[in-house]
Amino acid sequence: MGNIVANKNGVLYLLLHLLLLCFLVVGEFDLSGLNYTKFIRQASRLRLERIQKHLEKINKPPLITIQSPDGDIIDCVHKRKQPALDHPLLKNHKIQKVPPEMPKRLIQEEVRNSMSNEATIKGTPRQWQWQMWHSNGTRCPKGTVPIRRSSVHDVLRAKSLFHFGKKQPGFINPARRRADAPDIVSGNGHEHAIAYTGTTQEFYGARATINVWDPSIEEVNEFSLSQIWILSGSFDGSDLNSIEAGWQVSPELYGDNRPRLFTYWTTDSYEATGCYNLLCAGFVQTNSRIAIGASISPVSQYTANQYDITILIWKDPKLGNWWMGLGDNTLIGYWPAELFTHLADRATMVEWGGEVVNSRANGQHTSTQMGSGHFPEDGFGKSSYFRNLEVVDADNSLSSVRGISTLAEKTNCYNIRSSYNKEWGTFFYYGGPGNNPRCP
Protein backbone atom coordinates (compact mmCIF):
# COMPACT_ATOMS: atom_id res chain seq x y z
CA MET A 1 0.00 0.00 0.00
CA GLY A 2 3.08 2.30 0.25
CA ASN A 3 2.05 5.72 1.51
CA ILE A 4 -1.64 4.93 1.27
CA VAL A 5 -3.33 4.13 4.55
CA ALA A 6 -6.78 2.56 4.47
CA ASN A 7 -9.22 4.00 6.96
CA LYS A 8 -12.14 1.60 6.91
CA ASN A 9 -13.57 2.38 10.31
CA GLY A 10 -11.86 5.68 11.22
CA VAL A 11 -10.01 4.17 14.20
CA LEU A 12 -6.52 4.87 12.87
CA TYR A 13 -7.58 8.39 11.98
CA LEU A 14 -8.65 9.13 15.56
CA LEU A 15 -5.58 7.47 17.07
CA LEU A 16 -3.29 9.78 15.11
CA HIS A 17 -4.96 12.80 16.68
CA LEU A 18 -4.77 11.32 20.16
CA LEU A 19 -1.04 10.74 19.73
CA LEU A 20 -0.62 14.36 18.65
CA LEU A 21 -2.44 15.55 21.75
CA CYS A 22 -0.15 13.50 23.99
CA PHE A 23 2.93 14.82 22.21
CA LEU A 24 1.83 18.44 22.61
CA VAL A 25 1.91 18.27 26.39
CA VAL A 26 5.70 18.43 26.26
CA GLY A 27 6.47 18.99 22.59
CA GLU A 28 8.46 21.84 21.10
CA PHE A 29 9.88 22.17 17.60
CA ASP A 30 11.81 24.45 15.31
CA LEU A 31 11.69 24.58 11.51
CA SER A 32 13.48 26.53 8.78
CA GLY A 33 15.50 28.58 11.28
CA LEU A 34 12.38 30.26 12.69
CA ASN A 35 11.52 30.14 16.36
CA TYR A 36 8.18 28.32 16.48
CA THR A 37 8.40 27.52 20.20
CA LYS A 38 7.07 30.84 21.45
CA PHE A 39 3.99 30.40 19.25
CA ILE A 40 3.21 26.93 20.62
CA ARG A 41 1.48 28.23 23.69
CA GLN A 42 1.03 26.15 26.79
CA ALA A 43 -2.27 24.43 26.19
CA SER A 44 -4.66 23.45 28.93
CA ARG A 45 -6.62 20.24 28.74
CA LEU A 46 -9.80 22.21 28.03
CA ARG A 47 -8.15 24.10 25.19
CA LEU A 48 -6.81 20.90 23.66
CA GLU A 49 -10.28 19.40 23.83
CA ARG A 50 -11.72 22.44 22.03
CA ILE A 51 -9.00 22.24 19.39
CA GLN A 52 -9.60 18.54 18.90
CA LYS A 53 -13.33 19.11 18.50
CA HIS A 54 -12.64 21.78 15.87
CA LEU A 55 -10.20 19.53 14.01
CA GLU A 56 -12.80 16.79 13.91
CA LYS A 57 -15.12 19.25 12.15
CA ILE A 58 -12.68 20.24 9.41
CA ASN A 59 -10.63 17.02 9.09
CA LYS A 60 -13.27 14.79 7.58
CA PRO A 61 -12.78 11.00 7.75
CA PRO A 62 -10.89 10.07 4.57
CA LEU A 63 -11.25 7.07 2.31
CA ILE A 64 -7.45 7.02 2.04
CA THR A 65 -4.61 9.28 3.14
CA ILE A 66 -1.43 10.16 1.25
CA GLN A 67 1.84 11.09 2.97
CA SER A 68 3.61 13.86 1.07
CA PRO A 69 7.43 14.10 1.11
CA ASP A 70 7.14 17.67 2.43
CA GLY A 71 5.41 16.41 5.58
CA ASP A 72 1.82 17.14 4.58
CA ILE A 73 -0.90 14.55 5.03
CA ILE A 74 -3.48 14.68 2.25
CA ASP A 75 -6.86 13.16 3.06
CA CYS A 76 -8.99 11.92 0.16
CA VAL A 77 -12.49 12.80 1.36
CA HIS A 78 -15.75 11.96 -0.38
CA LYS A 79 -16.83 15.14 -2.18
CA ARG A 80 -20.21 15.17 -0.42
CA LYS A 81 -18.46 14.98 2.99
CA GLN A 82 -16.15 17.99 2.49
CA PRO A 83 -16.25 20.89 5.03
CA ALA A 84 -18.01 23.33 2.66
CA LEU A 85 -21.37 21.65 3.03
CA ASP A 86 -21.40 22.20 6.81
CA HIS A 87 -22.13 25.90 6.24
CA PRO A 88 -25.65 26.83 7.43
CA LEU A 89 -26.30 28.67 4.16
CA LEU A 90 -25.42 25.53 2.21
CA LYS A 91 -27.63 23.00 4.01
CA ASN A 92 -29.66 22.39 0.85
CA HIS A 93 -26.82 23.08 -1.57
CA LYS A 94 -26.21 20.52 -4.30
CA ILE A 95 -22.68 20.40 -5.67
CA GLN A 96 -22.68 21.91 -9.14
CA LYS A 97 -22.32 19.06 -11.60
CA VAL A 98 -22.84 21.01 -14.82
CA PRO A 99 -19.51 22.59 -15.85
CA PRO A 100 -19.60 26.37 -15.63
CA GLU A 101 -19.64 28.45 -18.78
CA MET A 102 -16.00 29.37 -19.36
CA PRO A 103 -15.20 33.01 -20.21
CA LYS A 104 -14.84 33.60 -23.93
CA ARG A 105 -11.71 34.71 -25.80
CA LEU A 106 -9.21 33.12 -23.45
CA ILE A 107 -5.72 34.26 -24.34
CA GLN A 108 -3.51 31.37 -25.50
CA GLU A 109 -0.40 30.62 -23.47
CA GLU A 110 2.27 30.51 -26.19
CA VAL A 111 4.52 32.78 -24.12
CA ARG A 112 4.65 30.23 -21.28
CA ASN A 113 7.14 28.02 -23.09
CA SER A 114 9.88 30.48 -23.96
CA MET A 115 10.94 34.08 -24.04
CA SER A 116 13.56 35.20 -26.53
CA ASN A 117 16.93 36.25 -25.14
CA GLU A 118 15.76 35.64 -21.58
CA ALA A 119 15.86 32.76 -19.10
CA THR A 120 13.17 30.17 -19.78
CA ILE A 121 9.67 30.54 -18.40
CA LYS A 122 8.46 27.10 -17.46
CA GLY A 123 4.74 26.47 -17.25
CA THR A 124 3.09 23.38 -15.90
CA PRO A 125 1.29 21.48 -18.69
CA ARG A 126 -0.60 19.46 -16.10
CA GLN A 127 -1.35 21.70 -13.16
CA TRP A 128 -1.35 18.97 -10.51
CA GLN A 129 2.20 17.87 -11.33
CA TRP A 130 3.73 20.75 -9.39
CA GLN A 131 2.20 19.65 -6.08
CA MET A 132 4.67 17.61 -4.05
CA TRP A 133 2.12 15.11 -2.73
CA HIS A 134 1.95 13.64 -6.25
CA SER A 135 5.64 12.77 -6.30
CA ASN A 136 5.09 9.03 -5.81
CA GLY A 137 2.30 8.86 -8.39
CA THR A 138 -0.52 8.35 -5.89
CA ARG A 139 -3.88 9.98 -6.65
CA CYS A 140 -7.14 10.44 -4.80
CA PRO A 141 -9.90 8.12 -6.04
CA LYS A 142 -12.68 9.37 -8.29
CA GLY A 143 -15.49 10.94 -6.28
CA THR A 144 -13.14 12.26 -3.59
CA VAL A 145 -11.33 15.58 -3.11
CA PRO A 146 -7.81 16.03 -1.63
CA ILE A 147 -7.76 18.03 1.60
CA ARG A 148 -4.59 18.97 3.48
CA ARG A 149 -5.01 17.70 7.04
CA SER A 150 -4.73 20.28 9.82
CA SER A 151 -2.91 19.38 13.04
CA VAL A 152 -2.99 20.54 16.65
CA HIS A 153 0.34 22.27 16.03
CA ASP A 154 -1.23 24.25 13.18
CA VAL A 155 -3.92 25.58 15.51
CA LEU A 156 -1.52 26.33 18.38
CA ARG A 157 0.60 28.55 16.12
CA ALA A 158 -2.45 30.78 15.59
CA LYS A 159 -3.30 33.62 17.95
CA SER A 160 -6.36 31.67 19.09
CA LEU A 161 -8.73 28.99 17.85
CA PHE A 162 -11.00 31.74 16.51
CA HIS A 163 -8.11 33.25 14.52
CA PHE A 164 -6.94 29.92 13.07
CA GLY A 165 -7.09 30.04 9.27
CA LYS A 166 -8.14 33.70 9.16
CA LYS A 167 -6.51 36.91 8.01
CA GLN A 168 -6.33 39.61 10.65
CA PRO A 169 -8.62 42.61 10.03
CA GLY A 170 -7.35 46.17 9.82
CA PHE A 171 -7.69 49.17 7.53
CA ILE A 172 -5.35 51.66 5.98
CA ASN A 173 -5.72 55.15 7.45
CA PRO A 174 -7.63 57.20 4.84
CA ALA A 175 -5.72 60.33 5.87
CA ARG A 176 -2.46 58.66 4.82
CA ARG A 177 -3.85 57.27 1.57
CA ARG A 178 -3.71 58.97 -1.84
CA ALA A 179 -7.11 60.30 -2.86
CA ASP A 180 -7.29 58.01 -5.91
CA ALA A 181 -6.02 54.87 -4.17
CA PRO A 182 -8.28 51.94 -3.37
CA ASP A 183 -9.58 51.15 0.08
CA ILE A 184 -7.25 48.21 0.57
CA VAL A 185 -7.28 46.33 3.82
CA SER A 186 -4.12 47.33 5.64
CA GLY A 187 -3.11 48.16 9.18
CA ASN A 188 -1.95 45.53 11.65
CA GLY A 189 1.34 45.66 9.79
CA HIS A 190 -0.09 44.60 6.42
CA GLU A 191 1.77 46.17 3.49
CA HIS A 192 1.03 45.89 -0.22
CA ALA A 193 2.35 46.45 -3.72
CA ILE A 194 -0.70 46.14 -5.97
CA ALA A 195 -2.29 47.06 -9.28
CA TYR A 196 -6.00 47.80 -9.25
CA THR A 197 -8.98 48.77 -11.39
CA GLY A 198 -11.31 51.71 -10.89
CA THR A 199 -14.26 51.50 -8.51
CA THR A 200 -16.98 52.66 -10.92
CA GLN A 201 -16.96 49.56 -13.12
CA GLU A 202 -18.59 46.14 -12.90
CA PHE A 203 -16.49 42.97 -12.98
CA TYR A 204 -17.39 39.31 -13.17
CA GLY A 205 -13.92 37.85 -12.77
CA ALA A 206 -10.20 38.26 -13.35
CA ARG A 207 -7.20 36.32 -14.56
CA ALA A 208 -3.41 36.59 -14.36
CA THR A 209 -0.25 34.55 -14.63
CA ILE A 210 1.77 34.83 -11.42
CA ASN A 211 5.50 34.21 -11.01
CA VAL A 212 6.19 31.78 -8.10
CA TRP A 213 9.11 32.30 -5.67
CA ASP A 214 9.96 31.27 -2.12
CA PRO A 215 10.47 34.57 -0.23
CA SER A 216 12.14 34.39 3.16
CA ILE A 217 10.02 35.15 6.24
CA GLU A 218 11.55 36.75 9.32
CA GLU A 219 8.92 35.90 11.95
CA VAL A 220 6.57 32.95 12.32
CA ASN A 221 3.49 35.20 12.49
CA GLU A 222 4.38 37.03 9.25
CA PHE A 223 3.55 35.97 5.71
CA SER A 224 4.25 36.89 2.10
CA LEU A 225 1.68 36.29 -0.61
CA SER A 226 0.92 37.08 -4.24
CA GLN A 227 -2.72 36.95 -5.27
CA ILE A 228 -5.81 38.19 -7.09
CA TRP A 229 -8.54 39.98 -5.10
CA ILE A 230 -12.18 40.09 -6.32
CA LEU A 231 -13.94 42.76 -4.24
CA SER A 232 -17.32 44.37 -3.58
CA GLY A 233 -18.71 46.31 -0.65
CA SER A 234 -17.24 49.04 1.51
CA PHE A 235 -13.96 49.21 3.40
CA ASP A 236 -15.22 51.72 5.95
CA GLY A 237 -17.83 49.32 7.30
CA SER A 238 -18.19 45.62 7.95
CA ASP A 239 -19.73 44.45 4.69
CA LEU A 240 -16.70 43.98 2.43
CA ASN A 241 -16.93 40.83 0.29
CA SER A 242 -13.64 39.43 -0.99
CA ILE A 243 -12.62 36.35 -2.99
CA GLU A 244 -8.87 35.72 -3.21
CA ALA A 245 -6.48 33.17 -4.70
CA GLY A 246 -2.75 32.91 -5.33
CA TRP A 247 0.36 31.55 -3.65
CA GLN A 248 1.68 32.32 -0.19
CA VAL A 249 4.44 31.51 2.29
CA SER A 250 3.01 31.43 5.82
CA PRO A 251 4.97 29.65 8.58
CA GLU A 252 2.16 30.27 11.07
CA LEU A 253 -0.49 28.66 8.88
CA TYR A 254 1.51 25.76 7.42
CA GLY A 255 4.53 25.27 9.70
CA ASP A 256 7.15 25.76 6.99
CA ASN A 257 8.56 28.21 4.43
CA ARG A 258 7.26 26.58 1.26
CA PRO A 259 5.12 28.51 -1.26
CA ARG A 260 1.61 27.08 -1.35
CA LEU A 261 -1.50 27.44 -3.47
CA PHE A 262 -4.22 29.15 -1.43
CA THR A 263 -7.71 30.61 -1.49
CA TYR A 264 -9.53 33.00 0.84
CA TRP A 265 -12.98 34.53 1.23
CA THR A 266 -14.85 36.86 3.55
CA THR A 267 -18.20 38.65 3.59
CA ASP A 268 -17.64 40.95 6.59
CA SER A 269 -14.29 42.68 6.10
CA TYR A 270 -12.27 39.76 7.56
CA GLU A 271 -14.00 40.02 10.94
CA ALA A 272 -15.66 36.62 11.42
CA THR A 273 -16.69 34.98 8.15
CA GLY A 274 -14.52 33.06 5.74
CA CYS A 275 -11.07 31.52 5.93
CA TYR A 276 -8.09 30.23 4.03
CA ASN A 277 -8.46 27.16 1.85
CA LEU A 278 -10.84 24.53 3.29
CA LEU A 279 -10.29 25.49 6.94
CA CYS A 280 -13.96 26.35 7.34
CA ALA A 281 -17.22 25.68 5.55
CA GLY A 282 -17.59 27.64 2.31
CA PHE A 283 -15.44 26.81 -0.73
CA VAL A 284 -16.69 23.74 -2.61
CA GLN A 285 -13.88 21.71 -4.15
CA THR A 286 -14.61 19.65 -7.28
CA ASN A 287 -11.08 18.73 -8.43
CA SER A 288 -9.63 15.40 -7.22
CA ARG A 289 -6.00 16.12 -8.19
CA ILE A 290 -5.15 19.55 -6.78
CA ALA A 291 -5.02 20.16 -3.02
CA ILE A 292 -5.58 23.73 -1.92
CA GLY A 293 -2.91 24.61 0.64
CA ALA A 294 -0.40 22.11 -0.79
CA SER A 295 3.14 23.20 -1.62
CA ILE A 296 4.31 24.24 -5.09
CA SER A 297 7.52 22.92 -6.62
CA PRO A 298 9.71 23.85 -8.42
CA VAL A 299 9.92 27.61 -7.88
CA SER A 300 11.70 30.41 -9.72
CA GLN A 301 15.42 30.95 -9.22
CA TYR A 302 17.41 34.19 -9.51
CA THR A 303 18.67 34.67 -13.12
CA ALA A 304 17.58 31.10 -13.91
CA ASN A 305 14.36 29.29 -14.84
CA GLN A 306 11.15 31.12 -14.01
CA TYR A 307 7.98 29.26 -12.99
CA ASP A 308 4.49 30.70 -12.97
CA ILE A 309 0.88 29.65 -12.47
CA THR A 310 -2.23 31.04 -14.17
CA ILE A 311 -5.27 31.70 -11.99
CA LEU A 312 -8.76 32.55 -13.22
CA ILE A 313 -11.68 33.51 -10.97
CA TRP A 314 -15.05 34.20 -12.56
CA LYS A 315 -18.79 34.18 -11.94
CA ASP A 316 -20.70 31.45 -13.74
CA PRO A 317 -23.41 33.38 -15.64
CA LYS A 318 -25.87 30.50 -15.36
CA LEU A 319 -25.81 29.54 -11.68
CA GLY A 320 -23.98 32.53 -10.20
CA ASN A 321 -21.24 30.63 -8.35
CA TRP A 322 -17.71 32.08 -8.37
CA TRP A 323 -15.37 29.50 -9.91
CA MET A 324 -11.60 29.11 -9.70
CA GLY A 325 -9.55 27.69 -12.54
CA LEU A 326 -5.84 26.98 -13.03
CA GLY A 327 -3.80 26.97 -16.22
CA ASP A 328 -5.58 25.56 -19.24
CA ASN A 329 -9.11 25.58 -17.85
CA THR A 330 -8.50 23.14 -14.98
CA LEU A 331 -11.45 23.66 -12.63
CA ILE A 332 -10.64 23.60 -8.90
CA GLY A 333 -14.00 24.39 -7.35
CA TYR A 334 -16.22 27.33 -6.48
CA TRP A 335 -17.50 29.74 -3.87
CA PRO A 336 -21.30 29.32 -3.82
CA ALA A 337 -23.30 32.48 -4.51
CA GLU A 338 -25.26 31.87 -1.28
CA LEU A 339 -22.21 32.86 0.78
CA PHE A 340 -22.14 36.47 -0.40
CA THR A 341 -24.06 39.71 -0.19
CA HIS A 342 -22.41 42.20 -2.56
CA LEU A 343 -20.57 39.55 -4.58
CA ALA A 344 -23.82 37.65 -5.07
CA ASP A 345 -24.30 40.05 -7.97
CA ARG A 346 -20.95 41.37 -9.21
CA ALA A 347 -17.56 42.77 -8.20
CA THR A 348 -16.72 46.46 -8.20
CA MET A 349 -12.93 46.21 -7.99
CA VAL A 350 -10.13 43.83 -8.90
CA GLU A 351 -6.63 43.91 -7.42
CA TRP A 352 -3.48 41.99 -8.30
CA GLY A 353 -0.23 41.98 -6.36
CA GLY A 354 1.69 41.21 -3.20
CA GLU A 355 1.02 41.50 0.51
CA VAL A 356 3.24 40.96 3.55
CA VAL A 357 2.89 41.29 7.31
CA ASN A 358 5.40 43.57 9.02
CA SER A 359 5.29 42.81 12.76
CA ARG A 360 8.32 45.00 13.61
CA ALA A 361 9.34 42.32 16.09
CA ASN A 362 12.74 43.89 16.74
CA GLY A 363 11.59 47.50 16.59
CA GLN A 364 12.47 47.83 12.92
CA HIS A 365 10.86 46.95 9.61
CA THR A 366 10.73 43.25 8.89
CA SER A 367 13.13 41.64 6.43
CA THR A 368 10.29 39.41 5.17
CA GLN A 369 10.52 39.49 1.40
CA MET A 370 7.74 40.17 -1.09
CA GLY A 371 7.85 38.26 -4.38
CA SER A 372 11.47 37.42 -5.16
CA GLY A 373 12.81 39.83 -2.56
CA HIS A 374 14.07 42.16 -5.30
CA PHE A 375 12.71 45.53 -6.39
CA PRO A 376 10.76 45.74 -9.67
CA GLU A 377 13.46 47.68 -11.50
CA ASP A 378 15.65 44.54 -11.49
CA GLY A 379 13.36 43.06 -14.15
CA PHE A 380 12.90 39.58 -15.58
CA GLY A 381 14.62 36.69 -13.84
CA LYS A 382 15.33 38.78 -10.77
CA SER A 383 12.09 40.40 -9.64
CA SER A 384 8.67 38.78 -9.49
CA TYR A 385 5.92 39.51 -12.00
CA PHE A 386 2.22 39.30 -12.80
CA ARG A 387 1.51 39.13 -16.53
CA ASN A 388 -1.47 39.01 -18.88
CA LEU A 389 -3.82 40.79 -16.48
CA GLU A 390 -7.40 40.33 -17.66
CA VAL A 391 -10.93 40.97 -16.43
CA VAL A 392 -14.27 39.28 -17.17
CA ASP A 393 -17.18 41.51 -18.23
CA ALA A 394 -20.96 41.12 -18.03
CA ASP A 395 -20.94 39.12 -21.29
CA ASN A 396 -18.57 36.57 -19.73
CA SER A 397 -15.75 37.70 -21.98
CA LEU A 398 -12.09 38.08 -21.00
CA SER A 399 -10.19 41.15 -22.11
CA SER A 400 -6.83 42.65 -21.27
CA VAL A 401 -7.20 45.27 -18.57
CA ARG A 402 -5.95 48.73 -19.49
CA GLY A 403 -5.35 51.83 -17.45
CA ILE A 404 -4.58 50.14 -14.16
CA SER A 405 -3.34 52.14 -11.20
CA THR A 406 -0.66 50.98 -8.78
CA LEU A 407 -0.08 51.44 -5.07
CA ALA A 408 2.68 50.62 -2.59
CA GLU A 409 2.49 52.05 0.93
CA LYS A 410 6.26 52.01 1.54
CA THR A 411 8.10 52.14 -1.77
CA ASN A 412 11.52 51.88 -0.15
CA CYS A 413 10.49 48.51 1.29
CA TYR A 414 8.32 47.07 -1.50
CA ASN A 415 7.39 48.65 -4.82
CA ILE A 416 5.59 48.03 -8.12
CA ARG A 417 6.05 49.08 -11.78
CA SER A 418 3.48 48.35 -14.48
CA SER A 419 3.80 48.26 -18.26
CA TYR A 420 2.28 46.78 -21.43
CA ASN A 421 3.61 44.84 -24.40
CA LYS A 422 2.23 42.56 -27.10
CA GLU A 423 3.28 39.27 -25.51
CA TRP A 424 2.52 39.93 -21.84
CA GLY A 425 -0.35 42.39 -22.28
CA THR A 426 -0.71 44.44 -19.11
CA PHE A 427 1.90 43.29 -16.61
CA PHE A 428 3.96 44.49 -13.68
CA TYR A 429 7.04 43.69 -11.65
CA TYR A 430 6.71 44.06 -7.90
CA GLY A 431 8.24 43.23 -4.53
CA GLY A 432 11.25 44.02 -2.43
CA PRO A 433 13.47 42.92 0.45
CA GLY A 434 11.73 44.73 3.28
CA ASN A 435 14.30 46.00 5.76
CA ASN A 436 17.23 47.81 4.11
CA PRO A 437 19.07 51.14 4.69
CA ARG A 438 16.17 53.02 3.06
CA CYS A 439 13.54 50.96 4.91
CA PRO A 440 14.55 50.97 8.58
Side-chain angles (χ1 to χ4, degrees), residues 29-37 217-220 251 255-257:
F29 66 102
D30 182 88
L31 296 174
S32 306
L34 293 176
N35 180 12
Y36 285 75
T37 304
I217 311 297
E218 182 177 330
E219 295 291 329
V220 175
D256 61 28
N257 276 348

Side-chain angles (χ1 to χ4, degrees), residues 193-196 352 376-377 384-387 389 401-407 415-421 424-431:
I194 63 167
Y196 60 95
W352 302 261
E377 54 264 32
S384 190
Y385 61 79
F386 277 63
R387 61 180 175 87
L389 273 59
V401 63
R402 298 292 189 98
I404 58 170
S405 301
T406 59
L407 171 69
N415 208 353
I416 181 170
R417 288 188 178 183
S418 64
S419 188
Y420 180 90
N421 65 33
W424 280 20
T426 299
F427 69 94
F428 60 83
Y429 290 102
Y430 71 104

Side-chain angles (χ1 to χ4, degrees), residues 69-107:
D70 60 7
D72 283 356
I73 296 176
I74 304 298
D75 289 327
C76 301
V77 177
H78 194 285
K79 62 183 179 182
R80 290 195 292 271
K81 300 294 184 181
Q82 62 181 294
L85 302 181
D86 291 338
H87 198 287
L89 295 176
L90 302 179
K91 284 184 178 180
N92 300 316
H93 183 83
K94 294 184 179 180
I95 295 177
Q96 183 174 338
K97 294 181 179 180
V98 179
E101 182 181 329
M102 298 294 295
K104 298 178 283 289
R105 298 204 313 266
L106 284 173
I107 292 179

Side-chain angles (χ1 to χ4, degrees), residues 79 82 95-98 100 143-146 278 283-290 292 323-324 330-334:
K79 62 183 179 182
Q82 62 181 294
I95 295 177
Q96 183 174 338
K97 294 181 179 180
V98 179
T144 67
V145 293
L278 304 182
F283 184 86
V284 177
Q285 180 147 347
T286 59
N287 191 291
S288 65
R289 298 196 173 193
I290 297 176
I292 300 172
W323 278 82
M324 175 183 173
T330 299
L331 299 177
I332 305 303
Y334 62 91

